[in-house]
């Protein structure tokens, strides 16, 4: 009897211990439900809240007790409730588990994006729905990020730029619609090499310059050429490495903007500038007509004199040996060569064509420009002083364009000197400056250029003379910039007039 009583007491003690354990687990689970930042809730079959954890306070602004008795369906956004009731594909279901991302109205009236996982409990015998257990979390940040990415993806897909995504193997694995249409790429898994879309020259640039730069700095931008349907397609490319969380190593984005219209506009602007510069040279030659006549008249006169002398010798002594005519004929030949050289120079000066920079001797170009202007200076009784050091290094310039600039500046300096009664000299000098630059200075004794006008004097149609068109200096600056140089004006440190300075890059001999 005693053994039976002890066994009964042991069973009672075990049952009490088990109940204590269950109660402890229940308290533990209760503590977990109340401590988690997710909203734990239990609902009746009509969606009525039967229980809500403390997270309701933080997520929705409701006290847990306020939600008891309220149907959760009343707080759904109408569109999202329709998805749930109509079993939209957006509502995931599998073996009694539901998952949906939807908008849920908070106490303040605003909607919070929730992602809820629901589990239905049913009577194992009848299959009748007992209740619904839900775990909900705020996914507003994720939804907004996904919406932002989707908007960006839509922009990328709809842009007219050619957007390519390249893997570590330098093969295209995705492209937007414009690129697919232009380069005949499939929508799904194109896996095309870059040689499919870029020219061989641009592929070399990508391999030798772009990819190393992107690996080091993360991005690169510059001009490349793609393979158009009929000819090469110039593009402004931005290459960006994929970095950050989740990025695949070696993946790149290549954004290519079609710049054909810009290139054509630039080419048209260059042609227009060349036409204006050519017209300016023709106008300058009109001003220099008297000098040209003087230059041609001297060799022609000498040729006539030597030819006349030789003819008189032949008429006076027809029997004399031909060697006696060698000297006058040599002089005639020298004058013809000189005349031909002057004509070639004039023809080159007025030729029509774009600037083509190459290493040239600045002193030679300056002396040639001075010879063109010499007759005008002699007529005006103004001395043109050339101070050109023999140690000057060559400069990178187009000789015809540079000569045009110097002639324009010389004629402007002469015109400025004519306004001053006591002006009698214009100096052209050159010097090597820091930064591998050569500066050509033209100083005059004219009235100078007021500081208020120095910023506008190179503007087209701006002139300090009533009869001036205001194009010479504008064209001169354009030509200097086309050669990679600069043209500026300041007060002359030598005289009371102005100093115009043309600066060009020096070329090591």
């Amino acid at each position: 009897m005693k053994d039976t009583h002890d066994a009964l007491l042991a069973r009672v003690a075990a049952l009490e211990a088990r109940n204590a354990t269950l109660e402890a687990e229940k308290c533990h689970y209760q503590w977990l439900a109340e401590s988690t930042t997710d909203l734990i809730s239990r609902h009746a079959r009509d969606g009525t809240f039967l229980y809500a954890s403390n997270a309701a306070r933080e997520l929705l602004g409701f006290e847990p007790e306020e939600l008891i008795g309220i149907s959760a369906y009343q707080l759904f956004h109408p569109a999202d409730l329709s998805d749930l009731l109509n079993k939209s594909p957006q509502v995931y279901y599998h073996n009694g588990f539901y998952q949906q991302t939807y908008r849920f109205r908070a106490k303040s009236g605003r909607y919070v994006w929730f992602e809820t996982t629901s589990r239905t409990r049913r009577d194992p015998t009848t299959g009748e729905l007992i209740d619904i257990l839900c775990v909900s979390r705020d996914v507003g940040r994720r939804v907004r990020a996904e919406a932002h990415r989707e908007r960006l993806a839509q922009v990328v897909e709809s842009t007219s730029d050619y957007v390519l995504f390249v893997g570590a193997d330098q093969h295209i694995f995705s492209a937007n619609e414009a690129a697919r249409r232009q380069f005949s790429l499939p929508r799904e898994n194109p896996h095309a090499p870059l040689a499919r879309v870029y020219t061989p020259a641009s592929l070399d640039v990508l391999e030798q310059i772009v990819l190393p730069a992107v690996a080091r700095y993360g991005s690169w931008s510059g001009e490349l050429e793609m393979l158009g349907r009929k000819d090469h397609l110039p593009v402004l490319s931005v290459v960006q490495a994929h970095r950050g969380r989740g990025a695949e190593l070696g993946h790149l984005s290549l954004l290519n903007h079609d710049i054909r219209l810009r290139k054509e506009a630039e080419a048209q602007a260059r042609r227009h500038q060349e036409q204006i510069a050519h017209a300016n040279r023709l106008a300058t030659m009109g001003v220099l007509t008297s000098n040209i006549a003087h230059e041609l008249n001297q060799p022609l006169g000498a040729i006539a004199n030597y030819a006349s002398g030789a003819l008189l010798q032949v008429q006076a002594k027809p029997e004399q040996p031909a060697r006696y005519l060698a000297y006058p004929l040599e002089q005639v030949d020298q004058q013809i060569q000189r005349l031909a050289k002057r004509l070639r120079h004039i023809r080159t000066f007025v030729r029509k064509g774009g600037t083509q920079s190459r290493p040239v001797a600045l002193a030679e170009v300056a002396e040639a420009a001075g010879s063109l202007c010499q007759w005008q200076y002699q007529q005006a009784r103004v001395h043109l002083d050339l101070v050109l050091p023999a140690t000057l290094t060559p400069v990178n310039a187009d000789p015809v364009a540079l000569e045009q600039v110097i002639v324009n500046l010389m004629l402007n300096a002469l015109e400025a000197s004519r306004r001053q009664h006591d002006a009698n000299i214009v100096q052209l000098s050159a010097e090597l400056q820091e930064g591998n630059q050569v500066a050509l200075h033209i100083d005059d004794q004219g009235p100078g250029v007021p500081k208020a006008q120095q910023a506008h004097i190179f503007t087209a149609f701006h002139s300090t003379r009533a009869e001036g068109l205001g194009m010479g200096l504008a064209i001169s600056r354009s030509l200097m910039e086309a050669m990679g140089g600069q043209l500026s004006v300041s007060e002359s440190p030598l005289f009371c007039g102005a100093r115009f300075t043309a600066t060009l890059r020096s070329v090591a001999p």
Side-chain angles (χ1 to χ4, degrees):
M1 188 71 180
K2 182 178 180 182
D3 292 340
T4 304
H5 180 70
D6 291 342
L8 182 61
L9 291 177
R11 290 180 61 187
V12 170
L15 183 61
E16 289 178 348
R18 182 181 178 186
N19 289 337
T21 301
L22 292 175
E23 186 66 27
E25 289 179 353
K26 180 180 178 181
C27 292
H28 180 67
Y29 291 138
Q30 182 73 23
W31 175 82
L32 286 176
E34 297 300 337
S35 301
T36 181
T37 56
D38 294 342
L39 173 61
I40 310 296
S41 58
R42 187 165 65 90
H43 303 264
R45 66 176 64 187
D46 61 354
T48 301
F49 275 93
L50 301 176
Y51 166 79
S53 66
N54 289 332
R57 188 181 301 113
E58 183 68 24
L59 296 177
L60 299 172
F62 285 105
E63 291 296 328
E65 296 79 10
E66 293 181 88
L67 291 173
I68 306 303
I70 298 177
S71 174
Y73 299 149
Q74 296 177 10
L75 302 178
F76 267 62
H77 190 281
D80 300 328
L81 179 61
S82 176
D83 289 341
L84 176 64
L85 298 179
N86 295 323
K87 296 297 186 292
S88 166
Q90 298 181 20
V91 181
Y92 171 78
Y93 170 77
H94 179 70
N95 291 337
F97 282 94
Y98 290 85
Q99 189 176 70
Q100 182 185 11
T101 301
Y102 61 98
R103 287 158 290 184
F104 199 77
R105 191 170 74 245
K107 188 174 182 178
S108 63
R110 68 181 181 89
Y111 281 95
V112 178
W113 277 101
F114 266 4
E115 181 182 77
T116 297
T117 300
S118 304
R119 178 72 165 97
T120 57
R121 289 200 307 161
R122 297 180 180 273
D123 187 298
T125 303
T126 63
E128 183 179 359
L129 180 66
I130 299 174
D131 58 11
I132 305 170
L133 301 178
C134 298
V135 179
S136 306
R137 61 174 51 90
D138 186 344
V139 291
R141 181 180 297 178
R142 191 193 75 190
V143 169
R144 287 189 293 271
E146 291 174 351
H148 179 65
R149 285 195 295 270
E150 185 176 349
R151 286 193 298 270
L152 291 179
Q154 291 174 351
V155 170
V156 169
E157 185 65 16
S158 61
T159 182
S160 59
D161 294 340
Y162 310 122
V163 183
L164 307 172
F165 299 96
V166 178
D169 59 355
Q170 297 184 20
H171 277 64
I172 301 167
F173 65 82
S174 182
N176 72 336
E177 182 181 355
R180 295 195 301 269
R181 186 172 58 251
Q182 176 67 28
F183 305 110
S184 302
L185 299 172
R187 175 181 288 272
E188 300 296 334
N189 193 25
H191 198 68
L194 289 176
R196 174 84 172 269
V197 296
Y198 287 101
T199 63
S202 289
L203 281 177
D204 290 340
V205 174
L206 280 167
E207 292 176 0
Q208 299 176 16
I209 298 176
V210 178
L211 296 182
V214 173
R216 183 172 182 179
Y217 302 109
S219 65
W220 177 91
S221 63
E223 293 187 12
L224 296 173
E225 280 191 333
M226 305 187 82
L227 296 172
R229 296 181 179 178
K230 295 183 179 180
D231 52 10
H232 291 174
L233 178 65
V235 292
L236 179 62
S237 298
V238 177
V239 184
Q240 187 82 28
H242 291 189
R243 293 182 176 176
R245 187 171 57 184
E248 294 287 345
L249 184 64
H251 281 206
L252 304 174
S253 299
L254 294 92
L255 176 66
N256 304 277
H257 179 66
D258 187 342
I259 56 174
R260 280 178 296 185
L261 293 178
R262 195 195 80 184
K263 287 289 187 180
E264 291 171 1
E266 290 175 351
Q268 184 176 1
R270 284 195 299 271
R271 290 192 296 269
H272 183 59
Q273 179 183 352
E274 290 162 6
Q275 292 170 353
I276 293 176
H278 180 239
N280 178 258
R281 286 198 294 274
L282 294 176
T284 303
M285 291 308 298
V287 176
L288 299 174
T289 300
S290 59
N291 189 23
I292 295 171
H294 176 72
E295 288 289 328
L296 300 182
N297 187 56
Q298 283 185 337
L300 286 174
I303 290 171
N305 289 335
Y306 286 118
S308 178
L311 182 60
L312 288 175
Q313 287 190 42
V314 171
Q315 291 174 347
K317 298 178 181 180
E319 71 284 356
Q320 70 177 353
R323 66 176 180 272
Y324 290 105
L325 299 177
Y327 177 76
L329 291 178
E330 288 175 356
Q331 296 302 313
V332 168
D333 181 68
Q334 289 180 7
Q335 295 301 320
I336 290 175
Q337 295 297 330
R338 179 187 173 193
L339 177 59
K341 181 179 179 181
R342 298 305 300 154
L343 289 174
R344 284 196 301 271
H345 180 210
I346 293 170
R347 183 179 180 183
T348 302
F349 184 78
V350 298
R351 72 174 171 86
K352 187 176 182 180
T355 58
Q356 297 181 352
S357 296
R358 57 181 175 83
V360 297
L362 178 60
E364 293 180 5
V365 178
E367 289 170 358
S371 66
L372 282 175
C373 301
Q374 190 62 46
W375 183 250
Q376 273 67 26
Y377 272 80
Q378 290 177 358
Q379 292 294 99
R381 302 180 184 276
V382 175
H383 175 62
L384 179 59
D385 184 23
L386 301 182
V387 183
L388 301 170
T391 56
L392 280 178
T393 57
V395 294
N396 191 54
D398 180 285
V400 176
L402 179 57
E403 186 174 354
Q404 178 179 354
V405 171
I406 297 174
V407 167
N408 282 342
L409 296 178
M410 284 183 173
L411 293 179
N412 283 349
L414 178 60
E415 185 63 31
S417 299
R418 282 174 173 168
R419 300 185 211 172
Q420 305 294 105
H421 297 294
D422 56 345
N424 57 10
I425 186 172
V426 169
Q427 185 182 95
L428 186 149
S429 60
E431 62 176 343
L432 182 64
Q433 294 183 333
E434 294 182 359
N436 204 29
Q437 301 284 322
V438 174
L440 180 75
H441 307 297
I442 297 181
D443 295 271
D444 63 54
Q445 292 180 316
V449 180
K451 288 187 176 182
Q453 294 187 15
Q454 289 181 5
H456 310 288
I457 196 169
F458 297 103
T459 306
F461 307 112
H462 178 88
S463 178
T464 58
R465 306 197 307 268
E467 71 280 5
L469 294 177
M471 290 301 297
L473 288 176
I475 293 171
S476 295
R477 170 171 272 189
S478 298
L479 291 175
M480 289 299 300
E481 291 176 349
M483 294 183 287
Q486 295 180 339
L487 182 61
S488 60
V489 63
S490 60
E491 295 181 2
S492 173
L494 304 179
F495 312 123
C496 59
R499 162 175 280 191
F500 284 85
T501 300
T503 307
L504 287 166
R505 183 170 57 85
S506 173
V507 180

